[in-house]
Amino acid sequence: MWRGLLLKGTTCLLQASAQSFLHQRHASSQCFRLLTHRFLHKLRETSCIPRLRSTDFFQSHNLIRNYKKDAKSTVEFPLSPITVTDIKQYLRSKDIPFHDGYSCLHIPSIFIDVFTRKDSFSLFIDKTTGQFLCKDTLVEGSWEDLQDCLEVMQKDEQDSLSPHVLLGYPESLEEQEERERELREVREIWSSSLPFTDLHDEEAQLVKTMFQITKISNATLKKFGVRLFKPTKSLVFPWFGGPDSSLKGIKLLSAQGIDGEKVTYNEATVPKCTSYFNLFGLTLVNRMDSEVVVTGSELDTMAVCQGTGLPSVALPRGVSCLPPALLPYLEQFKRVTLWLGGDIRSWEASKIFSRKLGMRRCTLVRPGEFQPCPLEALSQGKNLSRIVKASIPAAHKSIVSFKQLREDVYGELMNTDQVAGVKWTRFPELNRILKGHRKGELTVFTGPTGSGKTTFISELALDLCMQGVNTLWGSFEINNVRLAKIMLTQFAMQRLEENLEQYDFWADRFEELPLYFMTFHGQQNIKTVLDTMQHAVYLYDINHVIIDNLQFMMGQENLSVDKFAVQDHIIGVFRKFATNSSCHVTLIIHPRKEEDDKELQTASIFGSAKASQEADNVLILQEKKLVTCPGRRSLQVTKNRFDGDVGLFPLDFIKSSLTFSTPIKGKHKLRKVAAKLENEEEVQENEVTVKKDEGKKEKAAKTAKASQAVKRPANGNEKAK
């Protein structure tokens, strides 16, 4: 049934857009043959597992309700993951020559006339995902799309295809209006901005002081096309792209506030950051350049270019992400120096990005006191060329000595706050115990059934996501719509069903978060989940993965194997993934059945001791089920591998916003919990109370004996008289 509805829905889309498409693109019969081939190919894939319900299909293409669905909000892994070996074998079977690049395979573009392309290998195929991009025509698509194009070429005996042969779903009216509005906004801001050469010397110097770029010359600013937008006192960085090098977008950088001597900046991009793929400085790179310096900001790129004379580009989203769509533009360089900043976070990002770019050609600038970020190094008068030449290779041997680790150890000692990780803003008591959220760790989280584990961990992850931690949610108990509703309510801190007029405002802000969801629901195989996680880490540079929960992934494993052995295997897989991918994994595990009046312990986690042994952190959501007053929930940290601190602090649940807040310290005091004996303080208090009671009884008994001893002699004297 669902398959028929899917076919009917696609037919409606094609009928609705056929005339306009033919008029705009002048498509040949190859287009429709290719479309039929692709559609049947998709049907063959989806006939195995119905990933999309009929109602979801119509909603996602604006046929029921007129709203836009962000395709990047969910992460799906292909049913048949492609490998670089498969790609090479297919190309050889079609007699297509290719060059083996660093992160892509290069082949002659099939979208350019055979006489025009000559020996140019301008079509790039990602080795990990199979996504392709033609740099000459900017045609891009999936590996299945490229296969379909090659099949059609072979059947029609053609040497090339039109760049417009790849059909996509037509834009909705709302999407067209938004794209046109963004383009108008880009042009208006750009036309209203002024080059620095057109500013008065005093005004230009004031702006440079505000952005700490006094050492960057006007010639460098003009070379990169940087302007000033006076209404907001913002620097404007242009994005030129396409075959005609037209203006595609802009980034605005404004000074948000001054904290002592440090200026904090606020960035805004048009179009929005999820569609902003500008390698700032790429237009100044020549085809013959073989070396490039990659930085985390536009200001650093200009500093490197001025200080070294080397080509330099800036990543569009800083150290948070390196989109795979940008990799083809970096393939020409034999040496890539990653100088992303001067802190620990940029150093970790450099090591992660070097894996995408190819470690054998990458060198890294280690942050330190004498090697700050490029802009700061230029301001301090340091020799930037010497710093770039002193960069270390990203590839290293399996055995190292302390001499090679010495600078890393010093960096951690000097930057203790950054090493501790990202701090929570909603849970300050958790910062006192765990010190922060760190990459490469495994956190095991448990709590009684119905205590609010998913609600609490969603707020915990949302807190980090709002600070720029790229987050991937794998919810196997509740569907993504319910989970997104919970997180949106926590984000807005209010029930939006009572304030529907504010929904679009909060939804627009929530959409900007680096948050993604797996499309799984119910029991899943561990290999499928792991492939999806690796796919997401590569595409979106995910830093935090939440798995809710472990028991649901054990359903499709071999039932003849001991379930505890299966659980141990899955935990070991997640432990290895967290370490190798430098990604924090939060794993929710249901506890064993316990009595209602007993608190959970580390030993209460379902399964063997493997979970607590492999975990870097163990968190338990405690709940006193027999108590109804506020404060009946608390969060207990029973393991902290970072520095050993453990503890317990109370939580209050606010039903209107579905959030947990920490009570006022004067009302509930944070107490440390001894690891050897739980509830030791209560035992000691009871012992003190018992001793006091016994002391009072003994004192009363002595007083009674003394009074009796006094009365006896008096009575004896009276008898004597």
Side-chain angles (χ1 to χ4, degrees), residues 492-677:
M493 301 290 286
Q494 60 177 316
R495 285 197 175 277
L496 292 176
E497 51 261 51
E498 300 173 0
N499 302 281
L500 287 177
E501 69 279 357
Q502 299 182 23
Y503 175 78
D504 287 332
F505 170 76
W506 289 108
D508 288 342
R509 294 183 59 188
F510 188 75
E511 190 178 342
E512 296 298 324
L513 296 178
L515 178 64
Y516 306 89
F517 301 90
M518 298 188 204
T519 56
F520 301 129
H521 185 63
Q523 298 174 349
Q524 295 294 331
N525 183 278
I526 177 60
K527 186 179 184 305
T528 306
V529 176
L530 187 66
D531 287 343
T532 305
M533 291 164 55
Q534 292 173 340
H535 185 72
V537 168
Y538 180 80
L539 282 181
Y540 309 116
D541 293 296
I542 297 298
N543 306 131
H544 187 199
V545 177
I546 303 99
I547 300 295
D548 183 15
N549 60 64
L550 176 64
Q551 279 81 352
F552 270 78
M553 287 186 295
M554 296 172 60
Q556 292 185 358
E557 300 296 335
N558 193 346
L559 297 178
S560 63
V561 182
D562 180 18
K563 61 181 180 181
F564 295 120
V566 174
Q567 177 173 326
D568 291 350
H569 167 70
I570 294 175
I571 292 173
V573 168
F574 282 129
R575 169 73 271 177
K576 185 178 180 180
F577 169 82
T579 302
N580 294 343
S581 302
S582 189
C583 177
H584 193 114
V585 177
T586 299
L587 185 59
I588 301 177
I589 305 178
H590 284 309
R592 295 186 287 105
K593 295 297 182 183
E594 300 281 4
E595 297 181 8
D596 291 344
D597 58 342
K598 289 186 178 180
E599 289 189 348
L600 298 180
Q601 305 174 9
T602 303
S604 302
I605 300 174
F606 181 84
S608 65
K610 178 82 169 179
S612 57
Q613 290 171 354
E614 293 284 0
D616 297 285
N617 314 294
V618 176
L619 276 61
I620 302 176
L621 183 62
Q622 302 283 7
E623 182 184 29
K624 299 177 182 178
K625 293 186 177 181
L626 303 179
V627 179
T628 58
C629 63
R632 67 190 182 100
R633 291 186 181 89
S634 57
L635 185 68
Q636 182 178 3
V637 180
T638 61
K639 183 179 181 181
N640 175 12
R641 188 170 281 165
F642 180 70
D643 67 354
D645 282 353
V646 293
L648 175 78
F649 60 89
L651 297 170
D652 281 344
F653 180 65
I654 303 175
K655 192 172 182 180
S656 60
S657 59
L658 302 179
T659 57
F660 291 84
S661 64
T662 305
I664 302 174
K665 293 182 180 180
K667 183 179 179 182
H668 298 281
K669 187 178 180 181
L670 176 69
R671 62 185 177 93
K672 294 287 181 180
V673 178
K676 296 181 180 179
L677 179 64

Side-chain angles (χ1 to χ4, degrees), residues 452-464:
K453 294 189 295 295
T454 301
T455 305
F456 172 78
I457 212 70
S458 66
E459 185 182 9
L460 198 73
L462 178 64
D463 189 342
L464 298 169

Side-chain angles (χ1 to χ4, degrees), residues 78-135:
L79 294 177
S80 54
I82 192 68
T83 64
V84 65
T85 304
D86 297 333
I87 298 175
K88 290 180 179 179
Q89 289 178 350
Y90 182 83
L91 294 177
R92 290 191 183 103
S93 67
K94 298 296 181 183
D95 294 327
I96 299 176
F98 63 86
H99 292 164
D100 197 346
Y102 299 100
S103 56
C104 301
L105 297 176
H106 313 173
I107 68 172
S109 177
I110 62 175
F111 303 106
I112 301 177
D113 184 80
V114 64
F115 300 104
T116 306
R117 63 174 178 249
K118 296 181 181 179
D119 296 329
S120 175
F121 287 70
S122 59
L123 194 147
F124 297 84
I125 306 173
D126 193 295
K127 292 182 179 180
T128 304
T129 63
Q131 294 279 337
F132 76 90
L133 169 68
C134 174
K135 288 178 63 175

Side-chain angles (χ1 to χ4, degrees), residues 435-451:
K435 306 303 183 290
H437 173 89
R438 293 168 290 277
K439 296 179 181 179
E441 291 190 354
L442 175 65
T443 295
V444 170
F445 178 67
T446 190
T449 302
S451 60

Side-chain angles (χ1 to χ4, degrees), residues 24-231:
Q24 293 175 2
R25 301 229 180 155
H26 307 284
S28 64
S29 60
Q30 289 180 350
C31 298
F32 299 101
R33 196 174 298 113
L34 177 60
L35 178 62
T36 305
H37 191 278
R38 293 170 61 193
F39 181 68
L40 292 176
H41 179 73
K42 295 298 182 184
L43 277 183
R44 286 195 297 270
E45 287 186 348
T46 54
S47 62
C48 300
I49 299 177
R51 285 181 171 268
L52 195 65
R53 300 191 305 271
S54 58
T55 53
D56 292 338
F57 177 84
F58 290 111
Q59 287 179 357
S60 64
H61 294 92
N62 305 309
L63 295 180
I64 291 181
R65 180 187 172 195
N66 187 24
Y67 73 97
K68 184 182 68 174
K69 181 180 178 66
D70 188 2
K72 295 183 179 180
S73 62
T74 58
V75 177
E76 288 189 13
F77 196 78
L79 294 177
S80 54
I82 192 68
T83 64
V84 65
T85 304
D86 297 333
I87 298 175
K88 290 180 179 179
Q89 289 178 350
Y90 182 83
L91 294 177
R92 290 191 183 103
S93 67
K94 298 296 181 183
D95 294 327
I96 299 176
F98 63 86
H99 292 164
D100 197 346
Y102 299 100
S103 56
C104 301
L105 297 176
H106 313 173
I107 68 172
S109 177
I110 62 175
F111 303 106
I112 301 177
D113 184 80
V114 64
F115 300 104
T116 306
R117 63 174 178 249
K118 296 181 181 179
D119 296 329
S120 175
F121 287 70
S122 59
L123 194 147
F124 297 84
I125 306 173
D126 193 295
K127 292 182 179 180
T128 304
T129 63
Q131 294 279 337
F132 76 90
L133 169 68
C134 174
K135 288 178 63 175
D136 292 331
T137 60
L138 298 184
V139 175
E140 58 182 356
S142 65
W143 170 243
E144 290 79 10
D145 293 332
L146 183 59
Q147 284 180 302
D148 294 340
C149 289
L150 294 173
E151 295 292 341
V152 170
M153 283 178 58
Q154 185 177 14
K155 289 180 180 179
D156 292 350
E157 298 181 354
Q158 297 290 330
D159 295 325
S160 63
L161 292 176
S162 168
H164 305 300
V165 72
L166 285 177
L167 300 182
Y169 289 110
E171 288 183 328
S172 66
L173 181 61
E174 182 182 354
E175 289 174 332
Q176 291 178 358
E177 291 177 351
E178 182 179 358
R179 185 167 54 84
E180 293 173 357
R181 179 189 58 80
E182 288 178 342
L183 187 58
R184 285 197 305 269
E185 186 177 354
V186 167
R187 292 172 177 171
E188 289 174 0
I189 294 176
W190 182 249
S191 61
S192 302
S193 304
L194 295 176
F196 273 74
T197 53
D198 293 350
L199 300 176
H200 296 293
D201 293 341
E202 295 180 358
E203 185 178 9
Q205 190 64 26
L206 181 63
V207 172
K208 286 185 176 182
T209 304
M210 182 189 306
F211 290 96
Q212 299 181 353
I213 55 173
T214 53
K215 295 293 184 178
I216 295 181
S217 64
N218 288 344
T220 301
L221 294 170
K222 182 180 180 180
K223 180 180 179 180
F224 283 88
V226 180
R227 296 185 178 185
L228 175 68
F229 186 58
K230 280 191 172 183

